[in-house]
Amino acid sequence: MIDTILTDGRITTLDPACPEAEALAISGGRIAAVGSNRDIMRLKGDQTQVIELAGRRVIPGLNDSHTHLIRGGLSYNMELRWENVPSLADALRMLREQAARTPAPQWVRVIGGWSEFQFAERRMPSLDEINAAAPDTPVFVLHLYARALLNRAALRVLGIGPDTPNPPGGVIERDARGNPTGMLLAKPSALILYSTLAQGPKLPLQDQINSTRHFMRELSRLGITSVIDAGGGGQNYPEDYEVIRHLDSSGQLTLRLAYNLFAQKPGSELSDYERWIAMTEPGAGSDLLRMNGAGENLTWSAADFENFLEPRPEPGPHMEAELERIVELLATNGWPFRIHATYDETIDRFLTVFERVNGRTPFHQRFIIDHAETITPRNIERIRALGGGIAIQHRMAFQGEYFAARYGIEAARATPPVARMLADGVPVGGGTDATRVASYDPWVALHWLTTGRSLGGLQMTEESALLDRETALRIWTEGSSWFSGESGEKGRLVKGFHADLAVLSTDYMRVPDDQIRGIRSVLTMLAGKVVYGEGGFAGLAPPLPPASPDWSPVGHLPSPGQRPAAMAAPGDCDIPSCHSDCRNACALHAHDHSIAWNNKVPVRHAGRFWGALGCSCFAI
């Protein structure tokens, strides 16, 4: 029995034997056949649903190999998103309007996913502007891994005053009289940012369920059908998995989700994994919700936090001993694992530990190096030799200007060296590391992979190292499937694979570069069932209850995937980068904002844009 036929499309199968087709048939949640309209329509039965695509591009469902959906879903309905907002003026207007509808004691939260270089003004908001937009409602604006901007109302409710000490690894910026300005700086640790955010009000359980459903619907709108959740701080297993388990057991999951278990407390990481190994095992769960192994944090001493406004951190000398005990435990029990590693110097130390453990207890499971922005060819080869893979994300699209300012534009051209990873035969998966820094939007990632440009238009990757569109898509589909042990199950549209797919709003394979970021799905299917539809396909999609609570930004504003007018990267800067009150040299980062104010700053030229970079002097 053929359940569904999609016909008259341009289907990218990623099957070398039949790279493009016109139609496909679905039976029992899997692809039954792929081919021409004539051949596939011969399979139609009396009960077969036929969906006419009118020439639209179809791709395998996108698969984010490193994100934080479980944690992000709990707060999605509370967050104001600035992705694809074209100007700072628009962003501040949105902030002002959301503050007006947000009831006490709730906050307005802008939690990552934006870059000041996307704005026409080419600058961050000042604290004065945030206070003017929201004088009474607490506001928390997270900017990359570097800082958070709090208005005066937030400082009051948090009790941050002149006598509040700096926490370890962070700085509360103060004015000349010792009063906190509202700027929190990660120097270099983000603990100050995330611990402050954690003090805000949480949604009740039913709203968390609704919030996670709306977050999944947003991912479906963008063509994502699978994710791997990399855990996170404050995400304890099994307590903090109640919402996602409920959605699975009640049949409300609309994507496939594999999750890793993230060690929670410094000093007790080994005991965390000993306890979890007794409770669960890789693969445990259902068809849509499965445990995937350990990480991305294995031990806190191994963290190499990627704040490119600060020097590279160096893990302590005791890191190897702690990591080795944990990796030995995981290898002995056959647990796959992943580990956060931004810098090659850290990766080198990790691989030495892995090689030592592998010599005693050979790895029969996959392992993953996450991020790997500055990895060298030597360490790519070591990962390949050990049977590991590399999960890359589009964080440079948001932080490229900062990276180039610290390390130089030449270093940025190979950050990360994705083409070299592929050439060396290492499994590579695409992802976002959403939601607190980079956007969850996969089309930002595909634009970055194929153009090498940041959100602000800085050209980083050289043309010879750019990926063609099919290769980039393959990383985000077939490539990512390896990272959850599902190669051969999904990531291509071929007979026997899961019928997970997206019908696109415009043809990814043919549109100009600057239109890639505006692509969305108009029809998304998971296991052959429609989970999202719009336009002529809207009637095929299951209904979703309104966003709750009723003041949620999700119920009042277009999502990032619905803001096509702002998708094109800005050109050379025509507007001064700093606000009019910023005339002095900054003692913290040693650049002269008066230069930026009096000149047009060509941000695409890395050697000349230093004055455009945001820093604590925005509090002046």
Side-chain angles (χ1 to χ4, degrees), residues 405-429:
R406 177 166 292 279
Y407 299 108
I409 191 63
E410 290 305 315
R413 297 202 189 286
T415 304
V418 182
R420 180 61 183 261
M421 298 171 190
L422 294 171
D424 284 359
V426 174
V428 178

Side-chain angles (χ1 to χ4, degrees), residues 250-270:
S250 61
Q252 296 180 82
L253 281 185
T254 52
L255 44 70
R256 302 184 193 276
L257 196 158
Y259 59 88
N260 285 71
L261 299 184
F262 184 109
Q264 290 297 309
K265 186 178 178 182
S268 61
E269 300 95 332
L270 181 62

Side-chain angles (χ1 to χ4, degrees), residues 89 293 363 423 443 457 607 619:
F363 290 174
W443 299 102

Side-chain angles (χ1 to χ4, degrees), residues 2-24:
I2 298 300
D3 302 316
T4 306
I5 287 175
L6 274 62
T7 186
D8 194 24
R10 293 191 179 100
I11 301 173
T12 298
T13 68
L14 297 181
D15 178 8
C18 178
E20 187 159 318
E22 293 178 313
L24 60 79

Side-chain angles (χ1 to χ4, degrees), residues 440-461:
Y440 53 75
D441 189 338
W443 299 102
V444 177
L446 288 161
H447 178 267
W448 165 72
L449 283 169
T450 55
T451 69
R453 294 199 296 269
S454 73
L455 286 180
L458 178 66
Q459 184 66 51
M460 295 173 288
T461 311

Side-chain angles (χ1 to χ4, degrees), residues 19 45-46 61 71-72 74 88 94 130 179 197 201 228 285 299 329 402 424 441 469 512 517 574 581 588 605-606 611:
D46 293 340
R71 180 184 68 193
L74 302 182
L88 178 57
M94 294 165 63
I130 290 175
N179 295 312
L197 177 61
I228 305 178
T299 175
L329 174 71
Y402 291 120
D424 284 359
D441 189 338
R469 296 188 188 184
R517 284 177 48 213
D574 293 325
D581 291 332
L588 184 63
H605 303 287

